[in-house]
C-alpha cells in the first residue's frame, strides 16, 4: 500500500540514502525535482548564449579554444540534466515545450547582455563561482541520478571559475583601460550574481520542504553568504571594488554584511523582463525550430535501421 511505500521512502530519506528512479516516491517530490532539474538544464542551455556571443571575438586563438570548450561543457551539462529529469518520467520534448511556452523558468542570471570581453571573465569568476557554491551540495541530493550528474558538472564548473578569474587577473594587471573594463564588468555582474541564489529564505516557497527531502542542503541566504565571504578577498586580490557601499566585515561573526538587494528587479527579470530576456528566448526557440530537420532526419534514420534489423 501507499502507507508502507511512504514509510519506506521516509526511511530512505532519514537514513540519507539515495532515491532511485524505480523507487516509489511522493508525487510532490517527483514534481519538485522535475521542476528544479529541468530549470537547471534550461539554464545550462540558455547560458551558452551570453558567452557564445564572444566566441568569434575572443582576443586570441588560445582564448577562443578555451571559451569554445567551456561553452561545449555547458551543452553537455544541459544534456546530462535533461537525462536526469527524464528518469522521473517527463520526456525531454515536453520539458523543452514548457520552457519555450514560458511554463518553466531558467536562471535569472542569463538575462543580461555581455557587453565586453571582461564580461566573459566576470561570468566565469562570479556566475560559475556562484553556481559551484550552489551545486556542490547538490552532489549529495537525495535523488540519485541528479546527485551523480552533479559530480562531473561541478568538476567542470571549477575549471570554468578558474578560467574566468584568470581573465580578470590578466585584465586587472593590464592597462588603465583594461582595469576599467574589469571594474565595469564587476559593477554590472555583482548584484545579479548574488541574486542567483534565489529569494531570501523567508520568501523561498520550496525551501523548507526541499531541505526536509534532502534535495537542498543549505538555504538560499546561507549559500549567498558563503559566496560573498569567499569572493570579497578575491576582489581585493584583483584590486577591484565590489559595487556595494554597505559591504563590511562583521568582526564578531567573521562574515561580510551586504547592503539591501533589489528583489523587485529580480522578480521582474524572472517574469521575462530582464535586459536580454526576449532575445534569449527568441534565440532558443529559433534554434529549436531551425533544428527540427535534424531531429526528423535522426528519427527517420533510426526507424529505417530498426526496420532493417527486424527483417
Ligand atoms: N532564477 C530564476 N528563478 C529562480 C531563481 C533564479 N536565480 N531563484 C529562485 N527562482 C524561482 C524558483 O524556481 C521558484 O519558482 P517556481 O516555483 O516557479 O519554480 C521561486 O523562484 C522561489 O524560489 P525557491 O522557493 O527558493 O526555489 P528553490 O527551492 O527551487 O530554490 C534554487 C531555487 C536555489 C535556484 C534551486 O532551484 C536550485 O538549487 N536549482 C539548481 C541550480 C540551478 O538551477 N542553477 C542554474 C544556474 S547555474 C548555471 O547554469 C551556471
Amino acid at each position: 500500500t501507499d502507507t508502507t511505500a511512504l514509510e519506506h521512502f521516509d526511511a530512505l530519506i532519514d537514513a540519507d540514502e539515495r532515491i532511485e528512479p524505480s523507487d516509489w516516491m511522493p508525487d510532490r517530490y517527483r514534481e519538485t525535482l522535475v521542476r528544479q532539474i529541468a530549470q537547471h538544464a534550461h539554464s545550462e542551455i540558455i547560458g551558452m548564449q551570453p558567452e557564445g556571443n564572444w566566441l568569434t571575438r575572443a582576443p586570441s586563438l588560445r582564448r577562443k579554444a578555451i571559451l569554445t570548450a567551456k561553452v561545449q561543457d555547458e551543452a553537455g551539462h544541459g544534456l546530462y540534466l535533461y537525462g536526469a529529469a527524464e528518469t522521473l518520467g517527463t520526456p525531454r520534448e515536453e520539458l523543452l515545450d514548457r520552457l519555450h511556452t514560458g511554463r518553466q523558468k531558467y536562471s535569472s542570471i542569463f538575462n543580461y547582455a555581455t557587453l565586453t570581453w571582461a564580461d566573459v571573465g566576470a561570468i566565469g569568476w562570479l556566475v560559475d563561482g556562484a553556481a559551484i557554491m550552489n551545486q556542490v551540495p547538490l552532489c549529495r541530493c537525495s535523488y540519485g541520478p541528479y546527485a551523480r550528474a552533479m559530480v562531473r558538472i561541478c568538476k567542470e564548473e571549477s575549471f570554468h571559475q578558474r578560467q574566468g578569474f584568470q581573465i580578470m587577473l590578466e585584465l586587472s594587471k593590464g592597462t588603465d583601460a583594461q582595469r576599467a573594463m574589469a571594474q565595469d564588468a564587476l559593477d554590472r555582474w555583482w548584484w545579479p550574481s548574488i541574486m542567483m541564489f534565489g529569494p531570501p529564505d523567508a520568501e523561498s516557497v520550496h525551501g523548507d520542504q526541499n531541505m526536509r527531502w534532502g534535495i537542498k542542503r543549505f538555504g538560499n541566504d546561507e549559500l549567498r553568504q558563503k559566496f560573498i565571504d569567499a569572493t570579497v578577498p578575491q576582489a581585493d586580490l584583483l584590486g577591484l571594488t565590489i559595487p556595494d557601499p554597505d559591504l563590511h566585515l562583521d568582526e564578531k561573526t567573521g562574515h561580510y554584511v551586504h547592503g539591501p538587494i533589489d528583489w523587485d528587479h529580480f522578480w521582474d527579470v524572472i517574469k521575462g523582463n530582464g535586459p536580454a530576456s526576449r532575445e534569449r528566448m527568441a534565440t532558443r526557440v529559433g534554434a529549436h525550430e531551425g533544428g527540427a530537420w535534424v531531429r526528423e532526419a535522426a528519427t527517420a534514420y533510426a526507424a529505417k535501421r530498426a526496420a532493417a534489423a527486424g527483417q
Side-chain angles (χ1 to χ4, degrees):
T1 69
D2 270 7
T3 329
T4 352
L6 180 62
E7 278 166 9
H8 180 64
F9 172 86
D10 286 341
L12 287 174
I13 296 284
D14 290 344
D16 203 9
E17 304 252 345
R18 296 294 164 265
I19 306 297
E20 296 299 335
S22 55
D23 290 332
W24 182 91
M25 60 188 87
D27 290 344
R28 285 188 48 224
Y29 178 82
R30 188 184 298 276
E31 280 159 21
T32 201
L33 276 167
V34 170
R35 176 190 62 83
Q36 175 168 330
I37 303 173
Q39 250 174 236
H40 194 165
H42 301 328
S43 305
E44 301 282 358
I45 299 298
I46 297 221
M48 294 167 73
Q49 293 184 36
E51 289 177 294
N53 285 344
W54 281 89
L55 285 174
T56 58
R57 292 178 288 166
S60 67
L61 181 61
R62 185 170 155 266
R63 289 292 184 197
K64 203 171 279 192
I66 294 171
L67 188 60
T68 304
K70 179 190 189 291
V71 173
Q72 282 176 341
D73 285 351
E74 307 296 358
H77 299 175
L79 297 182
Y80 313 145
L81 289 167
Y82 284 124
E86 283 190 305
T87 64
L88 291 157
T90 312
R92 188 174 308 199
E93 302 82 76
E94 166 63 20
L95 299 173
L96 285 170
D97 193 56
R98 289 182 195 172
L99 170 68
H100 298 156
T101 53
R103 286 175 294 145
Q104 270 179 347
K105 298 189 168 81
Y106 60 92
S107 180
S108 52
I109 195 69
F110 300 119
N111 292 300
Y112 299 87
T114 38
L115 305 181
T116 73
W117 170 249
D119 289 14
V120 174
I123 290 179
W125 173 36
L126 301 173
V127 176
D128 294 319
I132 296 168
M133 204 52 97
N134 162 271
Q135 292 175 15
V136 166
L138 291 174
C139 299
R140 293 188 292 119
C141 167
S142 60
Y143 188 58
Y146 190 30
R148 289 189 289 272
M150 290 318 300
V151 175
R152 177 167 175 178
I153 292 178
C154 285
K155 286 186 180 156
E156 293 178 348
E157 291 295 355
S158 86
F159 153 70
H160 299 168
Q161 195 272 349
R162 282 171 177 77
Q163 69 86 38
F165 188 75
Q166 211 260 331
I167 291 174
M168 295 302 276
L169 192 60
E170 207 152 296
L171 290 173
S172 70
K173 289 192 299 197
T175 61
D176 287 349
Q178 286 171 321
R179 270 195 301 279
M181 200 194 268
Q183 180 64 51
D184 171 61
L186 171 58
D187 290 347
R188 285 180 290 105
W189 289 91
W190 173 254
W191 291 104
S193 298
I194 66 171
M195 288 176 188
M196 253 178 94
F197 293 93
D201 292 343
E203 286 168 48
S204 163
V205 284
H206 306 290
D208 288 347
Q209 180 63 72
N210 285 356
M211 295 275 265
R212 234 170 298 136
W213 274 331
I215 294 173
K216 271 181 157 174
R217 300 288 175 172
F218 299 97
N220 299 354
D221 289 327
E222 198 175 356
L223 289 173
R224 187 171 10 255
Q225 186 65 52
K226 277 180 181 232
F227 172 74
I228 295 173
D229 290 343
T231 309
V232 174
Q234 296 170 358
D236 288 345
L237 195 121
L238 294 171
L240 300 178
T241 307
I242 290 181
D244 177 357
D246 297 325
L247 189 71
H248 65 277
L249 183 66
D250 179 337
E251 301 282 353
K252 277 203 218 89
T253 61
H255 293 300
Y256 284 90
V257 179
H258 61 79
I261 298 178
D262 183 355
W263 291 112
D264 291 341
H265 169 75
F266 170 80
W267 293 116
D268 199 38
V269 169
I270 66 176
K271 272 187 217 125
N273 301 320
S277 304
R278 282 171 193 82
E279 185 189 329
R280 297 285 178 258
M281 279 304 283
T283 304
R284 172 88 277 280
V285 172
H288 188 71
E289 286 168 359
W293 70 270
V294 180
R295 293 189 296 278
E296 279 162 25
T299 311
Y301 181 63
K304 233 188 217 176
R305 283 189 56 159
Q311 270 167 11

